[in-house]
Amino acid sequence: MILHQPLSKAIKTTKSHLDKLQTLGVNSVKDLLLHFPRTYEDKRNFTSVSEINTNEINNIKGTLISIFHRKTKNGKLMSKGIFEDKTGKIDVLWFNQPYLQKILFPGTRLVLSGKAKYAFGKSTMQSPSFEVLKKDLTHSGRLVPVYHQTEGISSKWIREKLKPLINEWIKDLEEFLPSKILEDYTLMNYAEAVKEVHFPSEEKRLNRAKYRLSFEELFILQLKALQKKWMWQNIETHERKIIKQSENLSKLIENLPFTLTNAQIKTYENIKEDMQKPYPMSRLIQGDVGSGKTVVAGLAIINAINAGYQSAVMAPTEILARQHYNTLYKLFKPYSFNIQFIAGSTPEKIKKNIVTGLKTGTVDLVIGTHALIQETISFKNLGLAVIDEQHRFGVKQRSVLKSFGTPHLLSLSATPIPRTLAMTLYGDQDLSIIDEMPAGRLPIITRVVPENKRTDAYLWIENQIMKGRQAFVICPLVDESDVLEVKSAIQEYEYLNNAVFPNQTIGLLHGKMKSKEKDSIMEDFKQNKINILVSTSVIEVGIDVPNATIMLIEGADRFGLSQLHQFRGRVGRGEHQSYCFLFPKNQGEDSRKRLKSMAEFNSGFKLAEIDLEIRGPGEIYGLRQSGIPDLKMASLTDSDTISKAREAAQKIIDEDPHLDKYPRLKNKISSTDDVYIKD
Ligand code: ADP
Ligand code: MG
């Protein structure tokens, strides 16, 4: 417990320093011990003065043979000295470091580290960092850790304070990983690893220490996720909802107007097996927009209803929920299911009837929005819950579903993220990936359009519209405010309406509109009463307008790859060839790469991988706001360690899901943040 004592009790420092540390999340002794370096500077080797290279950082060891301090004409304090080792002398210069007067004297033995400048026939070390030479060096002569800094807290300061703390406290960092995990994965002990990352003894051991700490982080995430999954599947009160595939389902598959893709079949096989087990399914289907997830979910629903259970489909917005309703309604024509729709806008009277129907069991399938998980709703016998774009719901959905009697749970996601990342973020679900588009679908042709081709592009679009097609125009992202974004969309709308396409009907959609207004615009667009729809980036994911074949994105360089890909997914849904035009405003190297990848690849998974490479996971998935844990050491792209950590976590859960044998681990888990993406 003593490790948790506030830092103020353990080190001598000022209130202002403590406050700054707090902004780094460092409050206690333990926090500081676990404040890991960002990177290292290799200061193991010293250069001799005669070999100083002006292009790189030099570490030199020797004696200050003279030093003087004086004010320059413009009031700066200049400290100038001469430094010497066996091979030669060099000038040293510092500005505005008054405390040097108290530390540096002629004869002081020093280590200097910094760049040298060559001018007027001689080299000068310019404001090098330094350390007074002693046996046990902290800031030089070794692999020196560099920390995440904040204003006023330097790495040097942290190293200085950490040194005595480590020596005093490190033994109190108790190992919390089970010894068999340490053995099976040849992991370094906790205390040793923490010490090693701050004070590396050698490169090999440092790497082992970093591995141990990365492993541990991923292991904890996986353990939490797998424990959650275990809990979900082993809830004592749950009724066994064993759902065997019904005969006429095979017939339905035969009678579909299309042949299922292999990926769809495989995913459905997974689901079928899951549903026959005596515990609830917990599966995530990931698949690009248009890959046919809804149909697969539809088969699972038919199966559940035929077995005598109710089903529910929940989507994050009313438009999407309604779209599911329409698709499934059509798919289920051959059956006499009682299907209902429920959303915030559903009139009370109808809602009441649906609520009664769900309770008594006369309603077989309900499709809707959050309205579905309101307290008034209860099911007679919910067998299957399908959740679309689950990450857009809050964290509570699952606990609410529990109160519905733990149905089989199927989540759908069109957000393509690499498998390893999904394993970490959604580790409590089994994963099926639909990585194949239905046959015969024409790949969307994507072009990056330079400004001087804009008029040609407009003419071409007009021509397509004359042929009956429709277009989306996405306005640039405006960071500063929603209001500005709306304003720019309105401007774009007016410009296109008056100056470019005076003969076409143009619609406008933005986030400040009432949802009724939005719905009616979307409806008009669906019915081809609007030829061109101008929209801000807020337009809904998954809107299905097969006749829209053109997606024009303004300021395309401002968007991330996954978002561009989501936009593009609005077209290419029908029989006609579709096109995506990217209009960049300014192009940096990263955005050029992104847009080029867009033109080259149609697979969202491929693009997600590229995005991950270009930007790292933090930016893409908005680490902080999304609640993805802010990993200190591990990388969400380190698939090898992720797999090993998951395997290790599974071993422990298989052995003791409640972790009673491992109290320290249990404690650790309850004190780390949730893995789930929060709203
Ligand atoms: P998603 O939800 O994955 O975006 P949907 O399930 O809505 O995709 O399917 C998109 C469209 O493709 C729908 O019109 C659906 O009927 C159709 N579709 C689904 N599977 C196939 C298939 N195997 N072959 C042809 N069309 C398909
Ligand atoms: Mg969908």
Side-chain angles (χ1 to χ4, degrees), residues 229-244 270-282 309 383 405-409:
K229 182 176 171 192
W230 190 92
M231 299 292 181
W232 174 251
Q233 298 188 327
N234 291 276
I235 292 165
E236 278 158 33
T237 57
H238 88 242
E239 309 139 52
R240 295 171 165 228
K241 293 171 178 167
I242 299 178
I243 300 177
K244 289 225 151 67
N270 292 151
I271 294 170
K272 198 175 77 184
E273 273 168 37
D274 284 354
M275 294 207 303
Q276 292 181 20
K277 289 184 181 150
Y279 50 80
M281 162 167 74
S282 174
Y309 293 104
T406 62
H408 291 287
L409 182 62

mmCIF file of all heavy atoms in Angstrom, residues 229-244 270-282 309 383 405-409:
data_model
loop_
_atom_site.group_PDB
_atom_site.id
_atom_site.type_symbol
_atom_site.label_atom_id
_atom_site.label_comp_id
_atom_site.label_asym_id
_atom_site.label_seq_id
_atom_site.Cartn_x
_atom_site.Cartn_y
_atom_site.Cartn_z
ATOM 1 N N LYS A 229 -16.329 -12.413 -21.551
ATOM 2 C CA LYS A 229 -16.951 -13.394 -22.434
ATOM 3 C C LYS A 229 -17.390 -14.613 -21.628
ATOM 4 O O LYS A 229 -18.504 -15.109 -21.795
ATOM 5 C CB LYS A 229 -15.937 -13.802 -23.499
ATOM 6 C CG LYS A 229 -16.456 -14.785 -24.510
ATOM 7 C CD LYS A 229 -15.391 -15.016 -25.561
ATOM 8 C CE LYS A 229 -15.751 -16.152 -26.476
ATOM 9 N NZ LYS A 229 -14.593 -16.532 -27.299
ATOM 10 N N TRP A 230 -16.506 -15.055 -20.740
ATOM 11 C CA TRP A 230 -16.838 -16.222 -19.924
ATOM 12 C C TRP A 230 -18.080 -15.949 -19.080
ATOM 13 O O TRP A 230 -18.989 -16.765 -18.997
ATOM 14 C CB TRP A 230 -15.653 -16.581 -19.020
ATOM 15 C CG TRP A 230 -15.854 -17.904 -18.333
ATOM 16 C CD1 TRP A 230 -15.455 -19.136 -18.774
ATOM 17 C CD2 TRP A 230 -16.535 -18.125 -17.089
ATOM 18 N NE1 TRP A 230 -15.838 -20.106 -17.888
ATOM 19 C CE2 TRP A 230 -16.507 -19.514 -16.835
ATOM 20 C CE3 TRP A 230 -17.169 -17.283 -16.180
ATOM 21 C CZ2 TRP A 230 -17.082 -20.092 -15.710
ATOM 22 C CZ3 TRP A 230 -17.756 -17.855 -15.053
ATOM 23 C CH2 TRP A 230 -17.703 -19.243 -14.821
ATOM 24 N N MET A 231 -18.115 -14.762 -18.471
ATOM 25 C CA MET A 231 -19.254 -14.391 -17.639
ATOM 26 C C MET A 231 -20.539 -14.417 -18.468
ATOM 27 O O MET A 231 -21.562 -14.909 -18.058
ATOM 28 C CB MET A 231 -19.089 -12.989 -17.047
ATOM 29 C CG MET A 231 -17.894 -12.808 -16.143
ATOM 30 S SD MET A 231 -18.043 -13.725 -14.620
ATOM 31 C CE MET A 231 -16.521 -13.271 -13.815
ATOM 32 N N TRP A 232 -20.420 -13.822 -19.665
ATOM 33 C CA TRP A 232 -21.579 -13.761 -20.558
ATOM 34 C C TRP A 232 -22.083 -15.156 -20.891
ATOM 35 O O TRP A 232 -23.271 -15.427 -20.921
ATOM 36 C CB TRP A 232 -21.165 -13.014 -21.835
ATOM 37 C CG TRP A 232 -22.213 -12.987 -22.899
ATOM 38 C CD1 TRP A 232 -22.198 -13.656 -24.077
ATOM 39 C CD2 TRP A 232 -23.426 -12.229 -22.893
ATOM 40 N NE1 TRP A 232 -23.319 -13.379 -24.800
ATOM 41 C CE2 TRP A 232 -24.090 -12.497 -24.097
ATOM 42 C CE3 TRP A 232 -24.012 -11.357 -21.982
ATOM 43 C CZ2 TRP A 232 -25.317 -11.936 -24.430
ATOM 44 C CZ3 TRP A 232 -25.242 -10.785 -22.316
ATOM 45 C CH2 TRP A 232 -25.864 -11.076 -23.515
ATOM 46 N N GLN A 233 -21.135 -16.054 -21.087
ATOM 47 C CA GLN A 233 -21.537 -17.385 -21.529
ATOM 48 C C GLN A 233 -21.834 -18.336 -20.371
ATOM 49 O O GLN A 233 -22.281 -19.446 -20.596
ATOM 50 C CB GLN A 233 -20.446 -17.962 -22.436
ATOM 51 C CG GLN A 233 -20.296 -17.088 -23.676
ATOM 52 C CD GLN A 233 -19.390 -17.667 -24.729
ATOM 53 O OE1 GLN A 233 -18.432 -18.349 -24.409
ATOM 54 N NE2 GLN A 233 -19.700 -17.404 -25.980
ATOM 55 N N ASN A 234 -21.585 -17.886 -19.169
ATOM 56 C CA ASN A 234 -21.790 -18.783 -18.039
ATOM 57 C C ASN A 234 -22.670 -18.194 -16.952
ATOM 58 O O ASN A 234 -22.586 -18.585 -15.800
ATOM 59 C CB ASN A 234 -20.445 -19.181 -17.440
ATOM 60 C CG ASN A 234 -19.679 -20.066 -18.393
ATOM 61 O OD1 ASN A 234 -19.876 -21.266 -18.443
ATOM 62 N ND2 ASN A 234 -18.828 -19.451 -19.189
ATOM 63 N N ILE A 235 -23.488 -17.242 -17.357
ATOM 64 C CA ILE A 235 -24.384 -16.643 -16.376
ATOM 65 C C ILE A 235 -25.280 -17.724 -15.794
ATOM 66 O O ILE A 235 -25.889 -18.500 -16.526
ATOM 67 C CB ILE A 235 -25.229 -15.544 -17.048
ATOM 68 C CG1 ILE A 235 -24.318 -14.394 -17.431
ATOM 69 C CG2 ILE A 235 -26.335 -15.079 -16.133
ATOM 70 C CD1 ILE A 235 -24.947 -13.441 -18.402
ATOM 71 N N GLU A 236 -25.312 -17.787 -14.465
ATOM 72 C CA GLU A 236 -26.008 -18.907 -13.834
ATOM 73 C C GLU A 236 -27.485 -18.944 -14.169
ATOM 74 O O GLU A 236 -28.070 -20.005 -14.344
ATOM 75 C CB GLU A 236 -25.833 -18.827 -12.318
ATOM 76 C CG GLU A 236 -24.508 -19.409 -11.884
ATOM 77 C CD GLU A 236 -24.075 -18.887 -10.529
ATOM 78 O OE1 GLU A 236 -24.978 -18.640 -9.705
ATOM 79 O OE2 GLU A 236 -22.860 -18.725 -10.330
ATOM 80 N N THR A 237 -28.066 -17.751 -14.270
ATOM 81 C CA THR A 237 -29.509 -17.729 -14.458
ATOM 82 C C THR A 237 -29.911 -17.985 -15.900
ATOM 83 O O THR A 237 -31.086 -18.076 -16.194
ATOM 84 C CB THR A 237 -30.069 -16.356 -14.064
ATOM 85 O OG1 THR A 237 -29.383 -15.375 -14.858
ATOM 86 C CG2 THR A 237 -29.845 -16.078 -12.606
ATOM 87 N N HIS A 238 -28.943 -18.084 -16.789
ATOM 88 C CA HIS A 238 -29.388 -18.117 -18.170
ATOM 89 C C HIS A 238 -30.054 -19.433 -18.550
ATOM 90 O O HIS A 238 -29.686 -20.500 -18.091
ATOM 91 C CB HIS A 238 -28.267 -17.721 -19.143
ATOM 92 C CG HIS A 238 -27.402 -18.839 -19.609
ATOM 93 N ND1 HIS A 238 -26.068 -18.881 -19.341
ATOM 94 C CD2 HIS A 238 -27.683 -19.923 -20.357
ATOM 95 C CE1 HIS A 238 -25.555 -19.966 -19.878
ATOM 96 N NE2 HIS A 238 -26.505 -20.620 -20.502
ATOM 97 N N GLU A 239 -31.075 -19.266 -19.369
ATOM 98 C CA GLU A 239 -31.750 -20.461 -19.855
ATOM 99 C C GLU A 239 -30.963 -20.932 -21.053
ATOM 100 O O GLU A 239 -30.379 -20.135 -21.765
ATOM 101 C CB GLU A 239 -33.172 -20.126 -20.308
ATOM 102 C CG GLU A 239 -33.966 -19.362 -19.291
ATOM 103 C CD GLU A 239 -34.780 -18.271 -19.965
ATOM 104 O OE1 GLU A 239 -35.496 -18.603 -20.924
ATOM 105 O OE2 GLU A 239 -34.666 -17.101 -19.545
ATOM 106 N N ARG A 240 -30.985 -22.192 -21.266
ATOM 107 C CA ARG A 240 -30.232 -22.714 -22.397
ATOM 108 C C ARG A 240 -31.047 -22.562 -23.669
ATOM 109 O O ARG A 240 -32.072 -23.200 -23.848
ATOM 110 C CB ARG A 240 -29.910 -24.179 -22.162
ATOM 111 C CG ARG A 240 -29.004 -24.331 -20.993
ATOM 112 C CD ARG A 240 -28.842 -25.770 -20.619
ATOM 113 N NE ARG A 240 -27.685 -25.862 -19.730
ATOM 114 C CZ ARG A 240 -26.709 -26.751 -19.869
ATOM 115 N NH1 ARG A 240 -26.753 -27.628 -20.843
ATOM 116 N NH2 ARG A 240 -25.714 -26.770 -19.034
ATOM 117 N N LYS A 241 -30.595 -21.682 -24.500
ATOM 118 C CA LYS A 241 -31.333 -21.439 -25.730
ATOM 119 C C LYS A 241 -30.621 -22.124 -26.884
ATOM 120 O O LYS A 241 -29.831 -21.510 -27.587
ATOM 121 C CB LYS A 241 -31.448 -19.945 -25.966
ATOM 122 C CG LYS A 241 -32.325 -19.316 -24.909
ATOM 123 C CD LYS A 241 -32.321 -17.824 -24.939
ATOM 124 C CE LYS A 241 -33.266 -17.315 -23.856
ATOM 125 N NZ LYS A 241 -33.123 -15.911 -23.584
ATOM 126 N N ILE A 242 -30.860 -23.384 -26.974
ATOM 127 C CA ILE A 242 -30.174 -24.141 -28.018
ATOM 128 C C ILE A 242 -30.986 -24.042 -29.308
ATOM 129 O O ILE A 242 -32.152 -24.411 -29.344
ATOM 130 C CB ILE A 242 -29.986 -25.598 -27.600
ATOM 131 C CG1 ILE A 242 -29.130 -25.624 -26.335
ATOM 132 C CG2 ILE A 242 -29.352 -26.396 -28.726
ATOM 133 C CD1 ILE A 242 -28.881 -26.986 -25.770
ATOM 134 N N ILE A 243 -30.368 -23.475 -30.304
ATOM 135 C CA ILE A 243 -31.100 -23.218 -31.538
ATOM 136 C C ILE A 243 -30.476 -24.020 -32.666
ATOM 137 O O ILE A 243 -29.401 -23.699 -33.159
ATOM 138 C CB ILE A 243 -31.086 -21.711 -31.858
ATOM 139 C CG1 ILE A 243 -31.750 -20.938 -30.702
ATOM 140 C CG2 ILE A 243 -31.794 -21.440 -33.176
ATOM 141 C CD1 ILE A 243 -31.734 -19.435 -30.860
ATOM 142 N N LYS A 244 -31.140 -25.073 -33.022
ATOM 143 C CA LYS A 244 -30.631 -25.916 -34.108
ATOM 144 C C LYS A 244 -31.122 -25.377 -35.439
ATOM 145 O O LYS A 244 -32.206 -24.816 -35.533
ATOM 146 C CB LYS A 244 -31.133 -27.352 -33.912
ATOM 147 C CG LYS A 244 -30.473 -28.046 -32.744
ATOM 148 C CD LYS A 244 -30.056 -29.446 -33.160
ATOM 149 C CE LYS A 244 -28.853 -29.933 -32.403
ATOM 150 N NZ LYS A 244 -29.043 -30.161 -30.985
ATOM 151 N N ASN A 270 -20.338 -20.423 -38.645
ATOM 152 C CA ASN A 270 -19.872 -20.053 -37.292
ATOM 153 C C ASN A 270 -21.061 -19.771 -36.381
ATOM 154 O O ASN A 270 -21.131 -20.254 -35.253
ATOM 155 C CB ASN A 270 -19.027 -18.770 -37.323
ATOM 156 C CG ASN A 270 -17.691 -18.939 -38.034
ATOM 157 O OD1 ASN A 270 -17.173 -17.989 -38.593
ATOM 158 N ND2 ASN A 270 -17.131 -20.134 -38.008
ATOM 159 N N ILE A 271 -21.984 -18.975 -36.913
ATOM 160 C CA ILE A 271 -23.133 -18.563 -36.108
ATOM 161 C C ILE A 271 -23.998 -19.762 -35.746
ATOM 162 O O ILE A 271 -24.438 -19.932 -34.615
ATOM 163 C CB ILE A 271 -23.976 -17.520 -36.881
ATOM 164 C CG1 ILE A 271 -23.152 -16.235 -37.060
ATOM 165 C CG2 ILE A 271 -25.277 -17.230 -36.173
ATOM 166 C CD1 ILE A 271 -23.792 -15.234 -38.000
ATOM 167 N N LYS A 272 -24.200 -20.600 -36.742
ATOM 168 C CA LYS A 272 -25.032 -21.792 -36.551
ATOM 169 C C LYS A 272 -24.461 -22.645 -35.427
ATOM 170 O O LYS A 272 -25.188 -23.078 -34.536
ATOM 171 C CB LYS A 272 -25.046 -22.568 -37.874
ATOM 172 C CG LYS A 272 -26.163 -23.550 -37.997
ATOM 173 C CD LYS A 272 -26.159 -24.161 -39.393
ATOM 174 C CE LYS A 272 -25.052 -25.210 -39.509
ATOM 175 N NZ LYS A 272 -24.947 -25.774 -40.866
ATOM 176 N N GLU A 273 -23.165 -22.862 -35.474
ATOM 177 C CA GLU A 273 -22.524 -23.651 -34.416
ATOM 178 C C GLU A 273 -22.669 -22.977 -33.058
ATOM 179 O O GLU A 273 -23.009 -23.620 -32.075
ATOM 180 C CB GLU A 273 -21.033 -23.839 -34.725
ATOM 181 C CG GLU A 273 -20.760 -25.034 -35.594
ATOM 182 C CD GLU A 273 -19.327 -25.017 -36.107
ATOM 183 O OE1 GLU A 273 -18.433 -24.595 -35.336
ATOM 184 O OE2 GLU A 273 -19.130 -25.411 -37.268
ATOM 185 N N ASP A 274 -22.419 -21.676 -33.042
ATOM 186 C CA ASP A 274 -22.554 -20.926 -31.785
ATOM 187 C C ASP A 274 -23.939 -21.103 -31.183
ATOM 188 O O ASP A 274 -24.090 -21.300 -29.985
ATOM 189 C CB ASP A 274 -22.366 -19.417 -32.034
ATOM 190 C CG ASP A 274 -20.905 -19.045 -32.246
ATOM 191 O OD1 ASP A 274 -20.044 -19.919 -32.088
ATOM 192 O OD2 ASP A 274 -20.646 -17.867 -32.571
ATOM 193 N N MET A 275 -24.952 -21.008 -32.034
ATOM 194 C CA MET A 275 -26.320 -20.990 -31.519
ATOM 195 C C MET A 275 -26.761 -22.367 -31.006
ATOM 196 O O MET A 275 -27.724 -22.465 -30.254
ATOM 197 C CB MET A 275 -27.296 -20.475 -32.580
ATOM 198 C CG MET A 275 -27.052 -19.006 -32.937
ATOM 199 S SD MET A 275 -28.499 -18.102 -33.542
ATOM 200 C CE MET A 275 -29.010 -19.054 -34.921
ATOM 201 N N GLN A 276 -26.037 -23.399 -31.430
ATOM 202 C CA GLN A 276 -26.397 -24.736 -30.961
ATOM 203 C C GLN A 276 -25.758 -25.071 -29.632
ATOM 204 O O GLN A 276 -26.000 -26.123 -29.064
ATOM 205 C CB GLN A 276 -25.969 -25.780 -31.997
ATOM 206 C CG GLN A 276 -26.782 -25.666 -33.260
ATOM 207 C CD GLN A 276 -26.398 -26.688 -34.304
ATOM 208 O OE1 GLN A 276 -25.800 -27.696 -33.992
ATOM 209 N NE2 GLN A 276 -26.760 -26.424 -35.541
ATOM 210 N N LYS A 277 -24.900 -24.177 -29.174
ATOM 211 C CA LYS A 277 -24.217 -24.445 -27.915
ATOM 212 C C LYS A 277 -25.100 -24.050 -26.742
ATOM 213 O O LYS A 277 -25.964 -23.185 -26.875
ATOM 214 C CB LYS A 277 -22.893 -23.677 -27.875
ATOM 215 C CG LYS A 277 -21.890 -24.285 -28.832
ATOM 216 C CD LYS A 277 -20.550 -23.608 -28.738
ATOM 217 C CE LYS A 277 -19.597 -24.247 -29.741
ATOM 218 N NZ LYS A 277 -18.606 -23.309 -30.234
ATOM 219 N N PRO A 278 -24.858 -24.659 -25.595
ATOM 220 C CA PRO A 278 -25.735 -24.391 -24.452
ATOM 221 C C PRO A 278 -25.388 -23.100 -23.715
ATOM 222 O O PRO A 278 -25.749 -22.936 -22.570
ATOM 223 C CB PRO A 278 -25.494 -25.608 -23.544
ATOM 224 C CG PRO A 278 -24.126 -26.063 -23.895
ATOM 225 C CD PRO A 278 -23.895 -25.723 -25.331
ATOM 226 N N TYR A 279 -24.687 -22.224 -24.345
ATOM 227 C CA TYR A 279 -24.440 -20.923 -23.738
ATOM 228 C C TYR A 279 -24.523 -19.862 -24.829
ATOM 229 O O TYR A 279 -24.400 -20.168 -26.015
ATOM 230 C CB TYR A 279 -23.080 -20.883 -23.034
ATOM 231 C CG TYR A 279 -21.923 -21.364 -23.863
ATOM 232 C CD1 TYR A 279 -21.340 -20.531 -24.808
ATOM 233 C CD2 TYR A 279 -21.426 -22.655 -23.706
ATOM 234 C CE1 TYR A 279 -20.283 -20.969 -25.578
ATOM 235 C CE2 TYR A 279 -20.361 -23.101 -24.478
ATOM 236 C CZ TYR A 279 -19.797 -22.256 -25.409
ATOM 237 O OH TYR A 279 -18.763 -22.686 -26.179
ATOM 238 N N PRO A 280 -24.763 -18.617 -24.422
ATOM 239 C CA PRO A 280 -25.047 -17.615 -25.449
ATOM 240 C C PRO A 280 -23.840 -17.269 -26.325
ATOM 241 O O PRO A 280 -22.718 -17.170 -25.854
ATOM 242 C CB PRO A 280 -25.495 -16.397 -24.655
ATOM 243 C CG PRO A 280 -25.196 -16.654 -23.251
ATOM 244 C CD PRO A 280 -24.926 -18.097 -23.056
ATOM 245 N N MET A 281 -24.135 -17.103 -27.592
ATOM 246 C CA MET A 281 -23.131 -16.673 -28.560
ATOM 247 C C MET A 281 -22.663 -15.253 -28.226
ATOM 248 O O MET A 281 -23.395 -14.445 -27.662
ATOM 249 C CB MET A 281 -23.776 -16.702 -29.939
ATOM 250 C CG MET A 281 -23.083 -15.905 -31.030
ATOM 251 S SD MET A 281 -23.750 -16.339 -32.652
ATOM 252 C CE MET A 281 -25.342 -15.520 -32.603
ATOM 253 N N SER A 282 -21.449 -14.968 -28.585
ATOM 254 C CA SER A 282 -20.925 -13.611 -28.476
ATOM 255 C C SER A 282 -20.025 -13.426 -29.688
ATOM 256 O O SER A 282 -18.847 -13.726 -29.643
ATOM 257 C CB SER A 282 -20.135 -13.489 -27.173
ATOM 258 O OG SER A 282 -19.513 -12.237 -27.098
ATOM 259 N N TYR A 309 -38.090 -18.760 -30.627
ATOM 260 C CA TYR A 309 -37.590 -17.612 -29.877
ATOM 261 C C TYR A 309 -37.882 -16.293 -30.599
ATOM 262 O O TYR A 309 -38.049 -16.261 -31.817
ATOM 263 C CB TYR A 309 -36.082 -17.720 -29.691
ATOM 264 C CG TYR A 309 -35.684 -18.863 -28.802
ATOM 265 C CD1 TYR A 309 -35.157 -20.033 -29.348
ATOM 266 C CD2 TYR A 309 -35.850 -18.772 -27.424
ATOM 267 C CE1 TYR A 309 -34.800 -21.090 -28.533
ATOM 268 C CE2 TYR A 309 -35.486 -19.820 -26.605
ATOM 269 C CZ TYR A 309 -34.965 -20.977 -27.158
ATOM 270 O OH TYR A 309 -34.608 -22.013 -26.357
ATOM 271 N N GLY A 383 -34.292 -14.822 -28.011
ATOM 272 C CA GLY A 383 -33.271 -15.823 -28.311
ATOM 273 C C GLY A 383 -32.049 -15.253 -28.993
ATOM 274 O O GLY A 383 -30.950 -15.788 -28.892
ATOM 275 N N GLY A 405 -32.556 -11.756 -20.499
ATOM 276 C CA GLY A 405 -32.401 -13.199 -20.426
ATOM 277 C C GLY A 405 -31.279 -13.733 -21.282
ATOM 278 O O GLY A 405 -31.362 -14.837 -21.806
ATOM 279 N N THR A 406 -30.202 -12.962 -21.428
ATOM 280 C CA THR A 406 -28.994 -13.382 -22.152
ATOM 281 C C THR A 406 -29.235 -14.137 -23.448
ATOM 282 O O THR A 406 -29.030 -15.344 -23.528
ATOM 283 C CB THR A 406 -28.083 -14.246 -21.254
ATOM 284 O OG1 THR A 406 -28.794 -15.413 -20.881
ATOM 285 C CG2 THR A 406 -27.639 -13.474 -20.055
ATOM 286 N N PRO A 407 -29.676 -13.420 -24.434
ATOM 287 C CA PRO A 407 -29.855 -14.030 -25.752
ATOM 288 C C PRO A 407 -28.500 -14.314 -26.395
ATOM 289 O O PRO A 407 -27.472 -13.874 -25.903
ATOM 290 C CB PRO A 407 -30.555 -12.919 -26.534
ATOM 291 C CG PRO A 407 -30.064 -11.656 -25.905
ATOM 292 C CD PRO A 407 -29.907 -11.983 -24.452
ATOM 293 N N HIS A 408 -28.539 -15.032 -27.476
ATOM 294 C CA HIS A 408 -27.354 -15.102 -28.323
ATOM 295 C C HIS A 408 -27.129 -13.700 -28.873
ATOM 296 O O HIS A 408 -28.080 -13.016 -29.232
ATOM 297 C CB HIS A 408 -27.580 -16.080 -29.481
ATOM 298 C CG HIS A 408 -27.652 -17.500 -29.028
ATOM 299 N ND1 HIS A 408 -26.544 -18.198 -28.620
ATOM 300 C CD2 HIS A 408 -28.699 -18.351 -28.903
ATOM 301 C CE1 HIS A 408 -26.903 -19.422 -28.271
ATOM 302 N NE2 HIS A 408 -28.211 -19.545 -28.429
ATOM 303 N N LEU A 409 -25.869 -13.325 -28.926
ATOM 304 C CA LEU A 409 -25.581 -11.941 -29.290
ATOM 305 C C LEU A 409 -24.716 -11.876 -30.530
ATOM 306 O O LEU A 409 -23.655 -12.491 -30.601
ATOM 307 C CB LEU A 409 -24.854 -11.282 -28.109
ATOM 308 C CG LEU A 409 -24.510 -9.815 -28.267
ATOM 309 C CD1 LEU A 409 -25.768 -8.987 -28.415
ATOM 310 C CD2 LEU A 409 -23.739 -9.343 -27.030
#
